[in-house]
Structure formats: structure tokens, C-alpha cells
Amino acid sequence: MRNPLSGHQAWREVAIAAIALPIVITLAVMAFAWPAGRISPRDVPVGIVGTGPASQHAVEGLTRGKPGAFDFRLYPDQQAARSAIRNRDVYGAFAVSGHSITVLKATAASPSVAQLLTDVGQQLADKATRQIAQQQKAARQNTDGTQSPAKAHRQAAAKQGAAGADSSARVLVKAVDVVPVATEDPRGVVFSSSVFPLTICGILIGAFVTMARGLARPRHRVLTLLVACAVAALGIYLVAQGFLGALPHNHVATWAMLSLDLLSVSATAAGVVRLLGPAGLGLSAALMVFVGNAFSGATSAPEMLPKGVDYVGQWLPPGAGASLLRDTTYFDGAADAGHLAVLVLWTVCGLTAVMFGHWVIREPRDTKSGATASGELLPALPGSGAALSVRRHAHAHARRHDGDG
């Protein structure tokens, strides 16, 4: 006989494939494409050296030309600005004088921001050059208007030397990379490309450890998570540094941060799966990949993302892990306390769910399972001992269920 509900189930599956899945895919594409398409400087912390007229004109010009793009910090000299860059207080600084502009940048902090600062420095120099040229032209015109005929021969000599005067008036730009990236990874591509694989690997580790039948006890799962993340982080480091040379400094600390980054993602995934079952795998993947990874700012900088998105990304393990790894590798751990706290918080919450999640999802011990109840109701054949064997099997199943705690 044909099942009358089979048609409804088929229509439900068609609706999921034709409506729900395309919506999910569209949202996933938007999560990655929207921040990438809206990359622009927003309150990027930048230093200004000195408080002279040239520096003030530079700040005013940048404020009018790029409103809201930079958050300016004043420093008395270049040494103070360099220290601020190394301490991760600013991404770079402009030292402006009458005839030169020095751009202090840190490619290791963000190659895209470093390139932006270099371009802005060149724009400032071109604008200052045009202003000086206009001032010199106006001064020559005033001089020509008041010049006597007896000095006409000097005017020709002045025009011949005008080209030399204009060239000397040109404002030069000098870029200084205070904290450069590794020479084997000059554009930081290897570093930024490692965030997505780290997130995926962390989710896979968490899902495997939670669903593995041989890891019956929670403490076994936690121990396996710790060992797996440490070993995987070591393999990642050997590839990134030993083979590609992209993580050249603070080797032990960098490996430890890679391990913590993986552990925060894997522990969260394992905890959510432990609490929600297989549906938790999809939820953790959506949170870490489509939100955390898309809003991490690893390929540019958090300050280059749309407002609000930068904060969301830094409160999730992919964004906090990328920033922490950058701080540890190139800046000796400067300004890493906040990112470290975020990773530790996610790790502790995930491991807590792995350890004690069975208290939430497991039935009380004094409640008889369906297998036990059915075993007690099954009639026994005379002399066969079937009831005893069924009841013994049910009790053994219940002991295995309790041993999972």
C-alpha cells in the first residue's frame, strides 16, 4: 500500500533544495563578499610626528580628503612614533617637514594598511609640491610687476633657473618599514591564507573527537583535543616556517598560539556538538567559517572592515587568533592580552561543554530506559532463559550509557 505521507516528504525535500539551500548559500557568499567589497580605512590609528605647521596642514588635508579614515596620534619625534608602531598602538606614522615626508609603516601589522600609508604619503607630497610651486609662481609674478626696465636682463636669467627652482621645491617621500614581514613572504600572503585552513581543521578535530565511539569518557575527549591540536599546530608551523619561511620569529610562542587557536575552534565545535548533537556541527561551522573567518580582517585589517563587523570578528576565534598570531610572531606579544583572553574564553567554554554536557542532555539515572522497560515486559519462554538474557543486555547498555559521563 502506498504511503500517503511520502508525497508530502518529497515536496518538503524539494522545498529545502529549492528555497532553503539557495538562501543559505546566498548568505554565505554575502558574508565573504560584502566585507571584501567594502574595504576602506575607518579610524585607522596613525601617528603624526611633530606639531609644526607642516604637520598641521597634513592632518587638515587628510581630514578633509578622507573624513573618518584615520585616528591621528601626535608624537614628539620619530623615535616615539617607532616605539608606538612596535607596541601596536598605531599602524604607522607620518613625519612631515618642509621639503620631505617620511612614512613610517609596519608591513607585518598589515600589508594593505602599509601600502595605503605609502600612497597617502605620496599624495601629501604631491599636494605640498603643488602648493610650493604655486607660491613660487606667485612670488615671481609679484617680483616681475615691480621690476625696473634696467633689470630686464636679470629676468631672463631667472626664467632659465626656474626649472631648477621647481625641482628643488619638490617634496620627497621616504618610506621606512619599521616592522617588515618575512622576506620569503613579502606580501603576507602565506600568513593571511592560513586563517581559513586553521578554522576548518579546528572544526574537523572537534567533530571527530566528539563523534568517535572509542572516546567514551569526557576526559578522554579533552585529552585527545589537547594532543591533536598541539600536534596539528606543530605540523602547520613546520609548513609555514620550515617550508615557506612565513613565521620567522618567536618559534615556541608562535607554535603555542597556533595550538591555542586550533583548540579554541575545536573545543567550541566539540562542545556544541556535545550539547546539540549533529546539528551542532552545522551551527559551529556557520559561526566560525561564515561569520568568524569572513569578519576576521586577516587579509587586510579589522579597521578596514565595515563598522561593527570588525568588533564581531575580533570576538570570535578566527579573528582573535589571526591578530594574536601576528602580535606574537612579529611584535613580541605586544597588545595581545585582549586576543588571548578571547581565545581562552572560547576554549574554556568549549571544554566545559565537553566535560559536563552529558549532565544537560542525559536522562536521570533513576529513569528506566526504553530498552530496560521493554526487557522487563518481554515474556520468557519456559526454560529458555530469554528474559534473563534480554534484561542483562539492557542493563549492560545502560551501564555503557552511564559510563559516557
Side-chain angles (χ1 to χ4, degrees):
M1 180 179 179
R2 183 177 179 271
N3 186 359
L5 299 179
S6 60
H8 296 285
Q9 182 178 1
W11 279 109
R12 186 165 56 250
E13 293 174 350
V14 170
I16 292 175
I19 300 176
L21 289 181
I23 291 176
V24 172
I25 294 172
T26 302
L27 292 176
V29 172
M30 186 181 70
F32 279 90
W34 173 58
R38 295 294 184 269
I39 288 180
S40 179
R42 297 172 177 86
D43 293 329
V44 177
V46 174
I48 296 292
V49 178
T51 58
S55 299
Q56 293 178 359
H57 291 326
V59 172
E60 293 173 358
L62 290 175
T63 303
R64 288 194 303 266
K66 298 179 180 295
F70 300 105
D71 178 18
F72 294 105
R73 318 280 177 86
L74 297 179
Y75 297 99
D77 50 36
Q78 291 194 26
Q79 187 62 35
R82 290 170 183 262
S83 298
I85 293 173
R86 295 190 183 96
N87 293 331
R88 299 286 277 142
D89 296 329
V90 292
Y91 280 90
F94 298 107
V96 184
S97 65
H99 297 283
S100 66
I101 295 177
T102 302
V103 180
L104 304 176
K105 61 182 181 179
T107 310
S110 172
S112 59
V113 174
Q115 183 61 47
L116 171 67
L117 296 181
T118 302
D119 295 340
V120 169
Q122 186 62 55
Q123 294 172 7
L124 289 175
D126 294 341
K127 184 177 180 180
T129 300
R130 290 193 298 269
Q131 290 177 350
I132 294 176
Q134 292 174 358
Q135 292 173 359
Q136 291 181 347
K137 181 178 180 181
R140 286 196 299 269
Q141 290 176 350
N142 293 335
T143 303
D144 294 341
T146 59
Q147 195 174 33
S148 62
K151 299 180 180 179
H153 63 281
R154 297 182 182 178
Q155 182 179 0
K159 290 182 178 180
Q160 291 178 358
D166 291 340
S167 62
S168 63
R170 183 171 183 81
V171 178
L172 302 179
V173 179
K174 179 183 179 182
V176 179
D177 203 345
V178 180
V179 186
V181 294
T183 55
E184 290 81 0
D185 186 25
R187 292 177 295 175
V189 176
V190 175
F191 187 94
S192 60
S193 300
S194 63
V195 177
F196 185 74
L198 275 172
T199 305
I200 296 297
C201 292
I203 295 173
L204 291 177
I205 292 174
F208 173 80
V209 169
T210 306
M211 298 179 180
R213 295 181 178 273
L215 302 174
R217 297 183 179 277
R219 62 174 178 269
H220 295 163
R221 297 191 180 103
V222 170
L223 181 60
T224 304
L225 282 173
L226 296 174
V227 174
C229 290
V231 175
L234 180 60
I236 294 171
Y237 180 77
L238 291 177
V239 172
Q241 171 56 29
F243 181 62
L244 300 175
L247 303 174
H249 309 295
N250 302 321
H251 306 292
V252 176
T254 300
W255 166 67
M257 294 305 104
L258 283 171
S259 302
L260 181 60
D261 191 5
L262 275 174
L263 183 61
S264 63
V265 176
S266 61
T268 301
V272 175
V273 172
R274 181 66 171 152
L275 293 175
L276 302 180
L281 179 59
L283 178 61
S284 59
L287 178 64
M288 296 298 175
V289 175
F290 299 124
V291 179
N293 193 82
F295 299 163
S296 65
T299 58
S300 56
E303 292 82 0
M304 300 286 284
L305 299 177
K307 282 294 185 182
V309 168
D310 53 346
Y311 294 104
V312 173
Q314 295 303 301
W315 275 99
L316 293 173
S323 299
L324 179 62
L325 184 61
R326 196 184 299 275
D327 295 341
T328 303
T329 303
Y330 289 104
F331 295 90
D332 295 328
D336 63 353
H339 304 132
L340 182 63
V342 170
L343 294 185
V344 171
L345 178 62
W346 282 95
T347 301
V348 171
C349 291
L351 294 180
T352 301
V354 173
M355 285 293 297
F356 306 107
H358 61 283
W359 288 3
V360 178
I361 64 175
R362 191 177 65 184
E363 295 180 355
R365 291 179 181 271
D366 56 348
T367 302
K368 295 181 179 180
S369 63
T372 305
S374 61
E376 291 176 348
L377 295 176
L378 285 177
L381 296 177
S384 63
L388 178 60
S389 61
V390 172
R391 190 174 291 109
R392 184 176 300 168
H393 173 73
H395 287 311
H397 176 76
R399 283 196 301 273
R400 285 196 302 270
H401 183 71
D402 292 340
D404 190 47

